[in-house]
Amino acid sequence: MVALIPQENTVAALVARTGRHLQRYSKGRRQVVGCIPYRYKASKQTPLKDDAQELEVLVISSQKGKGMLFPKDESKEGAASRETLEEAGVRGLIGCELGKWSFKSKSHDSDYEGYMFPLLVQEQLDFWPEKNLRQRVWMNVEEAREVCQHWWMKEALDRLVYRLTQQQKHQGPLLKSRKENLMACT
């Protein structure tokens, strides 16, 4: 007999990865990779008009309690998606890399390379591995930029907004076009 388990229950069984031995390095720099989860919120005034949608991004609380940030990890696309699921409890379509940033850790005396990817949210889970460790908050871009604690994540957010704005100018406001552009990595 085969039992079908709802997807939300299988996510609750996941455990967030921990441990320094799982971190990745390139040329002596620790690599961190993350996503900027985003969605479009329909305007209350014209809920059926696609061009009236407002961009929202999902930020999460730092485990150390020092502000908000975007989910991140130490490897590339797959880890960015996995870390976003572990930290923020969302899944979606990952787009092309927004950029690479080099920075020095404030708490450790080490150099880092940061990579960020856009993630168009398709599913928001009620239960996820770090639910009891983090808060997640949807907010508009200006609010997210204000509370984000890392300069390089703010810069990634600016690049995401620019990319999405350019896509709307060239492709129109249809969600289908956004998904196609996201996968094409323009």
Side-chain angles (χ1 to χ4, degrees), residues 6-7 24 31-32 39 100 102 114 124 133:
Q7 212 169 20
R24 301 197 193 286
Q31 292 183 326
V32 293
R39 68 183 183 188
K100 172 184 168 184
S102 296
Q124 182 171 310
L133 300 174

Side-chain angles (χ1 to χ4, degrees), residues 5-171:
I5 301 171
Q7 212 169 20
E8 62 270 7
N9 291 337
T10 59
V11 173
L14 282 176
V15 176
R17 296 173 350 118
T18 59
R20 295 260 177 230
H21 66 286
L22 296 172
Q23 296 173 352
R24 301 197 193 286
Y25 291 83
S26 173
K27 299 177 185 171
R29 293 177 182 256
R30 180 168 172 235
Q31 292 183 326
V32 293
V33 176
C35 288
I36 299 178
Y38 72 97
R39 68 183 183 188
Y40 291 90
K41 176 181 165 184
S43 168
K44 291 179 182 173
Q45 295 150 341
T46 55
L48 300 177
K49 288 192 76 174
D50 198 41
D51 58 358
Q53 292 181 333
E54 179 184 338
L55 177 65
E56 289 184 315
V57 295
L58 182 67
V59 295
I60 58 170
S61 60
S62 166
Q63 282 189 333
K64 296 175 184 163
K66 297 180 180 177
M68 304 295 278
L69 45 87
F70 297 111
K72 63 183 180 353
D73 192 40
E74 58 273 350
S75 65
K76 286 251 192 171
E77 291 92 339
S81 178
R82 182 191 65 251
E83 192 70 8
T84 301
L85 174 64
E86 289 176 4
E87 292 185 351
V90 294
R91 297 180 206 201
L93 296 173
I94 288 200
C96 284
E97 183 178 298
L98 292 167
K100 172 184 168 184
W101 292 265
S102 296
F103 56 95
K104 193 160 191 80
S105 170
K106 291 180 182 178
S107 57
H108 302 77
D109 188 29
S110 55
D111 294 322
Y112 287 71
E113 284 182 350
Y115 301 85
M116 293 297 283
F117 296 85
L119 182 129
L120 176 59
V121 174
Q122 295 181 310
E123 181 180 15
Q124 182 171 310
L125 305 171
D126 293 329
F127 302 99
W128 67 97
E130 296 189 16
K131 177 183 173 132
N132 295 329
L133 300 174
R134 300 184 188 270
Q135 296 176 4
R136 65 179 178 195
V137 181
W138 285 102
M139 53 183 64
N140 68 42
V141 171
E142 292 78 24
E143 293 167 331
R145 195 168 202 305
E146 191 73 27
V147 300
C148 187
Q149 65 183 25
H150 299 296
W151 65 267
W152 63 280
M153 288 185 179
K154 290 179 184 185
E155 204 170 285
L157 178 59
D158 291 343
R159 289 183 186 183
L160 172 64
V161 170
Y162 178 79
R163 182 183 291 177
L164 295 174
T165 301
Q166 293 304 305
Q167 288 175 1
Q168 283 182 338
K169 285 180 184 175
H170 293 100
Q171 295 290 328

